[in-house]
Amino acid sequence: MEQELIQIFIQFNIDTSFREFKTFNSGHINDTFLIYTDSSTSYVLQKINGNVFKNSVDLIQNKVAIANHLLQKGCKSLEFIPTKEGKMYIEDAKANYWCLSKYIENSQTFLQVESNDIAYQAGVATGNFLANTTDFNGNLIEILPNFHSISWRFEQFKQSLTTTSQIRKEKAQEWINFVFNHIEEMIVLDHALNNNEIPLRITHNDTKISNILFDQNKNAICLIDLDTVMKGCIHFDYGDAIRTICSTAPEDEMDLEKVNFNFNYFKHYSSGFFKFLKGKLTSKEIHLLPHSPKIMTFIMGLRFLTDYLNDNIYYKVKYPNHNLDRAINQFTLVTKIKKVQLEINNEIFRSKNLLLHR
Ligand code: GN1
Ligand code: MG
C-alpha cells in the first residue's frame, strides 16, 4: 500500500517527501489517506471510487472549482494541489483517479455531537457554505443525477426487491413494510422540486457531522468532502445535517434504545444555520424545511436497505448485515423525529419572518 501511495504522491507538485501515512476510516465510498511529509505540511490523498463515480474527473473538477471559489472569497476551504503536469488529478494504471489537498493543521472532526455549541457551529458551517456558493457562476457537472430524489431511490428499492434473495427479503421484511408505509409522506420534497416550487441552489449534499471540520477550540472551519456538490435544494443540506447532528447514536448503532433525537441540538444547529439565510428563503422553502430532517433520514435508510437487498454493492460494509443495521437505525430515527414533528414545526415557524425573502 505504502509504495502505491508514494508513487501517486510524488506525481503531485510538492517539494517535500513522503514520510508516512494514516488511513481515514469514516467514509463509505472513497479511500482517504493522511500523508505526513518531511515538512510541517501534511496532505490528504484521496482515491475516488470509480465504481460509484463514473465521472471522477468531473467530480474532481467540481470540487476544485467550488473550493477555489470559496477561497477567493476569503472563506476557509480545501486547497487542492495540482500535479507536476498541471492537472488536478492522477489516473493510475487501474484507471482510478486520485486527488490531493492540504491537510488543515490542528483541525478535527467529530463522529457525534457532544455539546450545543458544536451543534451551533455545525449550523454555521453548513449555512455559511450555502450562503457563499450562491454567487458561484462556474460550471458544475451533475455528478450523481437524482442523488437525493426519493422517487428515484424508491424505484431502485423496488427493483432490488425483484432481484434479492428470499432470505434477505425475510430478514428485512419489517423494514420493507416500513418503506411502503412511509413513502407517501416522504415524497413532498420531490413534488415541490418537480413542480419548480422551490429554487435550486448549490448544495453540498453530504452534510453529515464527520464532514465538518473544526479547530481545536471546537469552532467550525469549513465543510470537507466536496464530492457531491451539485445543484439541489437547501432541504437536502439542512435535513441531512440534522440526521447525524441530532442523533444520539452513530448511524450503525444496533442498540436502538440509544437512537434518539436531541431537540436541543436541533435548536442550536438551526440557529447557526439560519444566521446565514436571513431574508433569503421563499415561503415554500420555509414551509418544507420542517419535513426535511425526517425525509433525509428516511432516504438514507432507504439507500442502506436497498444496498443490503442488492448484497452490498455500493457502500463499504464491515459485516454482511451492516447495511441492514444502518437502515434499521435510520428508520428508527425517522420514527423518533416524527414524534417531535410538531415541536420542529413550531421552532422553524418561529424564525419564519427572519428567513422570509423580502
Ligand atoms: C456516503 O462516502 P461518504 O461516507 O462520504 C454517501 C452519502 C451518505 C453517507 C452516509 C456518494 O458518504 O450520500 O449520506 O455515505 N455518499 C455517496 O453516511 O453516496
Ligand atoms: Mg461523501
Side-chain angles (χ1 to χ4, degrees):
M1 179 89 251
E2 187 169 275
Q3 273 316 309
E4 185 189 6
L5 293 181
I6 294 174
Q7 279 317 306
I8 301 292
F9 184 72
I10 56 170
Q11 297 182 63
F12 284 94
N13 195 15
I14 302 286
D15 51 13
T16 172
S17 340
F18 183 107
R19 185 155 51 83
E20 53 178 333
F21 79 97
K22 197 178 97 182
T23 307
F24 283 121
N25 283 320
S26 76
H28 295 350
I29 313 275
N30 297 325
D31 296 327
T32 312
F33 307 92
L34 177 59
I35 311 289
Y36 297 101
T37 66
D38 289 338
S39 80
S40 57
T41 312
S42 305
Y43 296 87
V44 177
L45 182 61
Q46 190 169 51
K47 176 163 119 185
I48 309 298
N49 180 335
N51 204 16
V52 166
F53 298 108
K54 302 293 176 209
N55 40 5
S56 306
V57 174
D58 293 339
L59 175 145
I60 292 167
Q61 258 158 25
N62 274 1
K63 29 189 205 181
V64 172
I66 286 292
N68 286 346
H69 171 82
L70 290 170
L71 290 172
Q72 272 157 24
K73 290 185 76 173
C75 303
K76 299 242 169 58
S77 191
L78 300 175
E79 198 180 321
F80 287 93
I81 311 289
T83 66
K84 292 189 169 120
E85 289 178 350
K87 288 193 293 195
M88 297 313 293
Y89 58 86
I90 293 289
E91 183 184 358
D92 69 16
K94 295 183 200 133
N96 292 309
Y97 289 84
W98 299 73
C99 61
L100 188 77
S101 60
K102 261 191 197 162
Y103 175 69
I104 301 180
E105 291 303 326
N106 297 319
S107 59
Q108 57 177 332
T109 52
F110 296 98
L111 293 177
Q112 245 182 299
V113 170
E114 50 191 49
S115 68
N116 289 337
D117 287 346
I118 294 182
Y120 173 81
Q121 285 294 321
V124 168
T126 43
N128 198 355
F129 180 89
L130 281 175
N132 280 298
T133 48
T134 41
D135 58 346
F136 176 82
N137 48 23
N139 188 27
L140 265 195
I141 294 136
E142 201 179 10
I143 290 297
L144 295 171
N146 296 317
F147 190 55
H148 285 322
S149 157
I150 204 129
S151 16
W152 186 72
R153 296 291 181 188
F154 185 53
E155 289 308 311
Q156 303 280 302
F157 161 75
K158 285 192 290 185
Q159 178 63 34
S160 74
L161 286 176
T162 66
T163 51
T164 192
S165 71
Q166 195 53 34
I167 195 147
R168 277 172 184 273
K169 215 190 247 178
E170 274 163 23
K171 270 202 173 143
Q173 194 57 56
E174 179 185 349
W175 304 100
I176 295 173
N177 295 345
F178 185 94
V179 172
F180 283 107
N181 293 335
H182 286 81
I183 191 70
E184 207 53 48
E185 71 177 281
M186 302 297 171
I187 216 102
V188 287
L189 204 52
D190 259 31
H191 285 327
L193 279 168
N194 293 340
N195 296 332
N196 300 321
E197 289 169 5
I198 46 176
L200 286 179
R201 302 166 184 270
I202 288 170
T203 46
H204 179 279
N205 296 311
D206 192 6
T207 48
K208 59 181 175 184
I209 183 65
S210 57
N211 279 339
I212 303 173
L213 213 56
F214 291 83
D215 65 18
Q216 291 304 314
N217 296 324
K218 301 182 180 173
N219 288 320
I221 303 176
C222 62
L223 297 188
I224 53 172
D225 181 7
L226 304 174
D227 295 359
T228 47
V229 172
M230 284 178 280
K231 290 257 168 79
C233 58
I234 55 160
H235 308 77
F236 295 163
D237 282 0
Y238 179 70
D240 195 17
I242 288 169
R243 173 182 79 86
T244 55
I245 285 160
C246 305
S247 176
T248 52
E251 70 184 5
D252 59 356
E253 173 62 57
M254 289 160 71
D255 180 354
L256 301 178
E257 300 266 304
K258 292 189 181 153
V259 182
N260 286 302
F261 186 77
N262 186 319
F263 197 77
N264 276 330
Y265 289 174
F266 166 75
K267 284 207 292 204
H268 283 84
Y269 173 80
S270 298
S271 81
F273 184 80
F274 291 165
K275 220 177 110 176
F276 291 88
L277 297 168
K278 284 180 193 158
K280 295 216 166 107
L281 304 189
T282 68
S283 84
K284 186 74 186 180
E285 279 182 301
I286 300 169
H287 178 76
L288 286 169
L289 264 189
H291 297 285
S292 63
K294 73 171 179 199
I295 293 176
M296 297 311 293
T297 308
F298 180 82
I299 206 169
M300 294 308 157
L302 181 61
R303 291 175 58 197
F304 288 137
L305 181 59
T306 304
D307 201 35
Y308 167 76
L309 294 168
N310 284 337
D311 208 1
N312 311 320
I313 53 174
Y314 187 89
Y315 293 111
K316 290 182 192 166
V317 287
K318 296 200 172 108
Y319 54 91
N321 283 356
H322 200 174
N323 272 319
L324 179 60
D325 288 338
R326 287 169 173 154
I328 296 173
N329 173 303
Q330 297 292 285
F331 290 148
T332 303
L333 186 60
V334 169
T335 305
K336 296 286 166 73
I337 297 174
K338 279 165 60 92
K339 283 206 173 113
V340 288
Q341 188 65 60
L342 268 182
E343 287 91 328
I344 292 179
N345 298 353
N346 291 339
E347 185 64 26
I348 293 177
F349 287 128
R350 265 183 350 111
S351 306
K352 185 168 178 177
N353 285 338
L354 180 92
L355 297 171
L356 199 58
H357 180 69
R358 274 163 295 237

